[in-house]
Coordinates of all heavy atoms in Angstrom, one line a residue:
P11 N -17.9 60.9 -22.7 CA -16.7 60.1 -22.8 C -16.2 59.9 -24.3 O -15.0 59.8 -24.5 CB -17.0 58.7 -22.2 CG -18.5 58.7 -22.3 CD -19.0 60.1 -22.2
N12 N -17.1 59.9 -25.2 CA -16.7 59.8 -26.6 C -17.9 60.2 -27.5 O -19.0 60.6 -27.0 CB -16.4 58.3 -26.9 CG -17.5 57.3 -26.5 OD1 -18.6 57.5 -26.9 ND2 -17.1 56.4 -25.6
A13 N -17.6 60.2 -28.8 CA -18.6 60.8 -29.8 C -19.9 59.9 -29.8 O -21.0 60.4 -30.0 CB -18.0 60.8 -31.2
E14 N -19.7 58.6 -29.7 CA -20.9 57.7 -29.8 C -21.8 58.0 -28.6 O -23.0 58.1 -28.8 CB -20.4 56.3 -29.9 CG -21.6 55.3 -30.1 CD -21.1 53.9 -30.3 OE1 -19.9 53.7 -30.4 OE2 -22.0 53.0 -30.4
E15 N -21.3 58.1 -27.4 CA -22.1 58.3 -26.3 C -22.7 59.7 -26.3 O -23.8 59.9 -25.9 CB -21.2 58.2 -25.0 CG -20.9 56.7 -24.7 CD -22.1 55.9 -24.5 OE1 -23.0 56.3 -23.7 OE2 -22.2 54.8 -25.2
F16 N -22.0 60.7 -26.9 CA -22.5 62.0 -27.0 C -23.7 62.0 -27.9 O -24.8 62.6 -27.6 CB -21.4 62.9 -27.7 CG -21.9 64.3 -28.0 CD1 -21.8 65.4 -27.1 CD2 -22.5 64.6 -29.3 CE1 -22.3 66.6 -27.5 CE2 -22.9 65.8 -29.6 CZ -22.8 66.9 -28.7
H17 N -23.6 61.3 -29.0 CA -24.8 61.2 -30.0 C -26.0 60.5 -29.3 O -27.1 61.0 -29.4 CB -24.4 60.4 -31.2 CG -25.5 60.3 -32.2 ND1 -26.1 61.4 -32.9 CD2 -26.2 59.2 -32.6 CE1 -27.1 61.0 -33.7 NE2 -27.2 59.7 -33.5
K18 N -25.8 59.4 -28.6 CA -26.9 58.7 -28.0 C -27.6 59.6 -27.0 O -28.8 59.6 -26.9 CB -26.3 57.4 -27.3 CG -25.9 56.3 -28.2 CD -25.4 55.1 -27.4 CE -25.0 54.0 -28.3 NZ -24.5 52.8 -27.6
E19 N -26.8 60.4 -26.3 CA -27.4 61.3 -25.3 C -28.2 62.4 -26.0 O -29.2 62.8 -25.5 CB -26.2 61.9 -24.4 CG -26.7 62.8 -23.3 CD -27.4 62.1 -22.2 OE1 -27.5 60.8 -22.2 OE2 -27.9 62.7 -21.2
T20 N -27.7 63.0 -27.1 CA -28.5 64.0 -27.8 C -29.8 63.4 -28.3 O -30.8 64.1 -28.3 CB -27.7 64.7 -28.9 OG1 -27.2 63.7 -29.8 CG2 -26.5 65.4 -28.4
V21 N -29.7 62.2 -28.8 CA -30.9 61.5 -29.3 C -31.9 61.4 -28.2 O -33.1 61.7 -28.3 CB -30.6 60.1 -29.9 CG1 -31.9 59.4 -30.2 CG2 -29.8 60.3 -31.2
M22 N -31.4 60.9 -27.0 CA -32.3 60.8 -25.9 C -32.9 62.1 -25.5 O -34.1 62.2 -25.2 CB -31.5 60.1 -24.7 CG -32.4 59.8 -23.5 SD -32.7 61.3 -22.4 CE -31.0 61.5 -21.7
R23 N -32.1 63.2 -25.4 CA -32.6 64.5 -25.1 C -33.7 65.0 -26.0 O -34.7 65.6 -25.6 CB -31.4 65.5 -25.0 CG -30.6 65.3 -23.7 CD -31.4 65.6 -22.5 NE -30.6 65.4 -21.3 CZ -31.1 65.1 -20.1 NH1 -32.4 65.1 -19.9 NH2 -30.4 64.9 -19.0
V24 N -33.4 64.8 -27.3 CA -34.4 65.2 -28.3 C -35.7 64.4 -28.1 O -36.8 65.0 -28.1 CB -33.9 65.0 -29.7 CG1 -35.0 65.2 -30.8 CG2 -32.7 66.0 -30.0
Q25 N -35.6 63.1 -27.9 CA -36.8 62.3 -27.8 C -37.6 62.6 -26.5 O -38.8 62.3 -26.4 CB -36.4 60.8 -27.8 CG -36.0 60.4 -29.2 CD -35.6 58.9 -29.3 OE1 -35.1 58.4 -28.4 NE2 -36.0 58.3 -30.4
N26 N -36.9 63.2 -25.5 CA -37.5 63.5 -24.2 C -37.9 64.9 -24.0 O -38.3 65.3 -22.9 CB -36.6 63.0 -23.1 CG -36.5 61.5 -22.9 OD1 -37.4 60.8 -23.4 ND2 -35.6 61.0 -22.1
L27 N -37.7 65.7 -25.1 CA -38.0 67.1 -25.0 C -39.5 67.4 -24.5 O -39.8 68.4 -23.8 CB -37.8 67.8 -26.3 CG -36.5 68.5 -26.5 CD1 -36.3 68.7 -28.0 CD2 -36.3 69.7 -25.7
H28 N -40.4 66.5 -24.8 CA -41.8 66.7 -24.5 C -42.0 66.5 -23.0 O -43.1 66.9 -22.5 CB -42.7 65.8 -25.3 CG -42.5 64.3 -24.9 ND1 -41.4 63.6 -25.3 CD2 -43.3 63.4 -24.3 CE1 -41.5 62.3 -24.9 NE2 -42.7 62.2 -24.3
Y29 N -41.1 65.9 -22.2 CA -41.2 65.8 -20.8 C -40.7 67.1 -20.1 O -41.0 67.3 -18.9 CB -40.4 64.7 -20.3 CG -40.9 63.3 -20.6 CD1 -40.2 62.5 -21.5 CD2 -42.1 62.8 -20.1 CE1 -40.6 61.2 -21.8 CE2 -42.5 61.5 -20.4 CZ -41.8 60.7 -21.3 OH -42.2 59.5 -21.6
A30 N -39.9 67.9 -20.7 CA -39.2 69.0 -20.0 C -39.4 70.3 -20.8 O -40.3 71.0 -20.6 CB -37.7 68.6 -19.9
D31 N -38.4 70.7 -21.6 CA -38.4 72.0 -22.2 C -39.6 72.3 -23.0 O -40.2 73.4 -22.9 CB -37.1 72.2 -23.1 CG -35.9 72.4 -22.2 OD1 -35.8 71.8 -21.1 OD2 -35.0 73.3 -22.6
C32 N -40.0 71.4 -23.9 CA -41.2 71.6 -24.7 C -42.5 71.8 -23.8 O -43.4 72.6 -24.0 CB -41.4 70.5 -25.7 SG -40.3 70.7 -27.1
L33 N -42.6 70.9 -22.8 CA -43.7 71.0 -21.9 C -43.7 72.3 -21.1 O -44.8 72.9 -21.1 CB -43.6 69.8 -20.9 CG -44.6 69.6 -19.8 CD1 -44.9 68.2 -19.6 CD2 -44.2 70.3 -18.5
R34 N -42.6 72.7 -20.6 CA -42.5 74.0 -19.9 C -42.8 75.2 -20.8 O -43.6 76.1 -20.4 CB -41.1 74.1 -19.2 CG -40.9 75.4 -18.5 CD -40.0 76.3 -19.2 NE -38.8 75.7 -19.6 CZ -38.0 76.2 -20.5 NH1 -38.3 77.3 -21.2 NH2 -36.8 75.7 -20.9
A35 N -42.2 75.1 -22.0 CA -42.3 76.3 -22.9 C -43.8 76.4 -23.3 O -44.3 77.5 -23.4 CB -41.4 76.1 -24.1
N36 N -44.4 75.3 -23.7 CA -45.8 75.4 -24.2 C -46.8 75.7 -23.1 O -47.6 76.6 -23.3 CB -46.1 74.0 -24.9 CG -47.5 74.0 -25.4 OD1 -48.5 73.8 -24.7 ND2 -47.7 74.3 -26.7
K37 N -46.7 75.0 -22.0 CA -47.7 75.2 -21.0 C -47.5 76.5 -20.2 O -48.4 77.1 -19.7 CB -47.8 74.0 -20.1 CG -48.3 72.7 -20.8 CD -48.3 71.6 -19.8 CE -48.8 70.3 -20.5 NZ -48.8 69.1 -19.6
G38 N -46.2 76.9 -20.0 CA -45.9 78.1 -19.3 C -46.5 79.3 -20.0 O -46.9 80.3 -19.4
T39 N -46.4 79.4 -21.3 CA -46.9 80.5 -22.1 C -48.4 80.3 -22.3 O -49.2 81.3 -22.2 CB -46.2 80.6 -23.5 OG1 -46.2 79.3 -24.1 CG2 -44.8 81.0 -23.3
S40 N -48.9 79.1 -22.5 CA -50.3 78.9 -22.8 C -51.2 79.2 -21.5 O -52.4 79.5 -21.7 CB -50.6 77.4 -23.2 OG -50.0 77.2 -24.4
A41 N -50.5 79.2 -20.4 CA -51.3 79.5 -19.1 C -51.9 80.9 -19.2 O -52.9 81.2 -18.6 CB -50.3 79.5 -17.9
W42 N -51.3 81.8 -20.1 CA -51.8 83.2 -20.3 C -52.3 83.4 -21.7 O -52.3 84.5 -22.2 CB -50.8 84.2 -19.9 CG -50.4 84.1 -18.4 CD1 -49.3 83.6 -17.9 CD2 -51.2 84.4 -17.3 NE1 -49.3 83.6 -16.5 CE2 -50.5 84.1 -16.2 CE3 -52.5 85.0 -17.2 CZ2 -51.0 84.3 -14.9 CZ3 -53.0 85.2 -15.9 CH2 -52.3 84.9 -14.8
G43 N -52.6 82.3 -22.4 CA -53.1 82.5 -23.8 C -52.1 83.1 -24.7 O -52.4 83.9 -25.6
L44 N -50.9 82.6 -24.6 CA -49.8 83.1 -25.5 C -49.2 81.9 -26.2 O -49.0 80.8 -25.6 CB -48.7 83.7 -24.6 CG -47.5 84.4 -25.3 CD1 -47.9 85.6 -26.1 CD2 -46.4 84.8 -24.2
E45 N -48.9 82.1 -27.5 CA -48.4 81.0 -28.3 C -46.8 81.1 -28.4 O -46.4 82.2 -28.7 CB -49.0 81.0 -29.7 CG -48.3 79.9 -30.6 CD -49.1 79.8 -31.9 OE1 -50.2 79.3 -31.9 OE2 -48.5 80.2 -33.0
L46 N -46.1 80.1 -28.2 CA -44.7 80.1 -28.3 C -44.2 79.1 -29.4 O -44.7 78.0 -29.5 CB -44.0 79.6 -27.0 CG -42.5 79.7 -26.9 CD1 -42.0 80.2 -25.6 CD2 -41.9 78.2 -27.1
R47 N -43.4 79.7 -30.3 CA -42.9 78.9 -31.4 C -41.4 78.7 -31.3 O -40.6 79.6 -30.8 CB -43.2 79.6 -32.7 CG -44.7 79.8 -33.0 CD -44.9 80.4 -34.3 NE -46.3 80.6 -34.6 CZ -46.8 81.2 -35.6 NH1 -46.0 81.7 -36.6 NH2 -48.1 81.4 -35.8
V48 N -40.9 77.5 -31.7 CA -39.5 77.1 -31.5 C -38.8 76.7 -32.8 O -38.8 75.5 -33.2 CB -39.5 75.9 -30.5 CG1 -39.7 76.5 -29.1 CG2 -40.6 74.9 -30.8
P49 N -38.2 77.6 -33.5 CA -37.6 77.3 -34.9 C -36.6 76.2 -34.8 O -36.4 75.5 -35.8 CB -37.1 78.7 -35.3 CG -37.9 79.7 -34.6 CD -38.2 79.1 -33.3
F50 N -35.8 76.1 -33.7 CA -34.8 75.1 -33.7 C -35.4 73.7 -33.7 O -34.7 72.7 -34.1 CB -34.0 75.2 -32.3 CG -32.9 76.2 -32.4 CD1 -33.0 77.4 -31.7 CD2 -31.7 76.0 -33.1 CE1 -32.0 78.4 -31.8 CE2 -30.7 76.9 -33.1 CZ -30.8 78.1 -32.5
L51 N -36.7 73.6 -33.4 CA -37.3 72.2 -33.5 C -38.2 72.0 -34.7 O -39.0 71.1 -34.8 CB -38.1 72.0 -32.2 CG -37.3 72.0 -30.9 CD1 -38.2 71.8 -29.7 CD2 -36.3 70.8 -31.0
D52 N -38.0 72.9 -35.7 CA -38.5 72.6 -37.0 C -38.1 71.2 -37.5 O -36.9 70.9 -37.4 CB -38.1 73.7 -38.0 CG -38.5 73.4 -39.4 OD1 -39.6 73.8 -39.8 OD2 -37.6 72.9 -40.2
T53 N -39.0 70.4 -38.0 CA -38.7 69.0 -38.3 C -37.5 68.9 -39.3 O -36.6 68.1 -39.0 CB -39.9 68.3 -38.9 OG1 -41.0 68.4 -37.9 CG2 -39.6 66.9 -39.1

């Protein structure tokens, strides 16, 4: 609806990455002994 709500939602999504995309990416590749690196999430 507006920029402020957009920002709050992106903050929430970043803080919740470990429940979804990071969890899937790490464990899905690690299941076969493969390391996955994610440059967009460089601190």
Side-chain angles (χ1 to χ4, degrees):
N12 54 56
E14 186 172 353
E15 288 302 307
F16 174 92
H17 179 67
K18 288 180 180 178
E19 184 71 3
T20 58
V21 171
M22 184 277 290
R23 284 294 174 205
V24 170
Q25 292 181 321
N26 286 347
L27 268 164
H28 66 289
Y29 290 112
D31 283 39
C32 284
L33 179 144
R34 178 257 305 164
N36 181 279
K37 293 179 180 177
T39 51
S40 294
W42 298 107
L44 182 67
E45 176 171 291
L46 183 138
R47 298 184 184 177
V48 283
F50 277 106
L51 295 178
D52 173 83
T53 303

